[in-house]
Amino acid sequence: MSASAFEPVSICLVGVSNFAQSHAGAIAQMEEEGLGKLTCAVVRSPEKYADAVAEYKQRGVTVYHSYEEMLAAEQGHVELIALPIAIPDHADLSIVGMEAGYHVLCEKPPAATIEQLDGMIQTSERTGNVCCIGFQNQSKSTVRALKRAVCEGKLGTIDHI
């Protein structure tokens, strides 16, 4: 089965600066490949990032000014929340997102403390929502080519993920 047989994953990007720019680039590549679609973004300081807000709105991307507002408004519409945010916020925002029914992507390290990480794992297990931790090598072209080969069935049939 080809990757194009799947509906693109609807994504919300939280943030616009620092590592969020890397996520934005990866999402743009996913859009080009038909694998994902940026449907909304959370920009907490819209006046500071007016250019990014204007560009998102021009592309039809809904812009929220708070995470909580987005969580309430996008249930059933957004499948994945990308959280390229400060490490101390990973656990709290991931847990709230999973409890609200979303899958979540954070960056390494996953949390500031082992207790926070345990809370993220427990929430994922309890809610059935996935919390992935991004490692840069997963975005490399060789890994993406391998994923494409798997999705196209070139390496056999997927039995379980």
Side-chain angles (χ1 to χ4, degrees):
M1 183 182 310
S2 72
S4 62
F6 298 100
E7 286 292 318
V9 174
S10 55
I11 303 168
C12 176
L13 178 59
V14 178
V16 294
S17 63
N18 301 322
F19 204 65
Q21 293 174 350
S22 178
H23 277 253
I27 293 168
Q29 184 175 354
M30 290 176 68
E31 288 179 324
E32 288 177 22
E33 296 175 14
L35 299 173
K37 173 81 175 136
L38 181 64
T39 57
C40 67
V42 176
V43 182
R44 295 182 198 163
S45 301
E47 61 288 336
K48 184 175 179 181
Y49 300 104
D51 290 344
V53 169
E55 189 260 330
Y56 281 149
K57 288 184 176 182
Q58 191 249 345
R59 289 177 41 203
V61 174
T62 303
V63 176
Y64 295 97
H65 303 305
S66 80
Y67 187 61
E68 296 74 19
E69 176 187 16
M70 182 281 299
L71 291 175
E74 294 293 337
Q75 284 187 339
H77 303 289
V78 166
E79 298 169 85
L80 175 67
I81 300 171
L83 290 173
I85 56 173
I87 295 163
D89 296 328
H90 282 183
D92 290 342
L93 271 63
S94 293
I95 289 169
V96 169
M98 287 185 286
E99 287 178 343
Y102 298 87
H103 300 292
V104 177
L105 171 65
C106 279
E107 291 302 316
K108 64 176 174 69
T113 68
I114 193 69
E115 292 81 11
Q116 289 176 327
L117 178 59
D118 287 343
M120 292 165 74
I121 293 168
Q122 291 164 0
T123 302
S124 177
E125 290 172 348
R126 181 174 42 78
T127 64
N129 292 310
V130 176
C131 181
C132 293
I133 306 303
F135 293 89
Q136 288 84 348
N137 285 341
Q138 292 178 348
S139 300
K140 290 192 180 238
S141 60
T142 52
V143 174
R144 293 182 58 75
L146 179 60
K147 178 185 175 187
R148 197 169 6 266
V150 168
C151 290
E152 292 173 354
K154 293 179 179 178
L155 303 177
T157 303
I158 297 173
D159 291 324
H160 179 78
I161 295 179

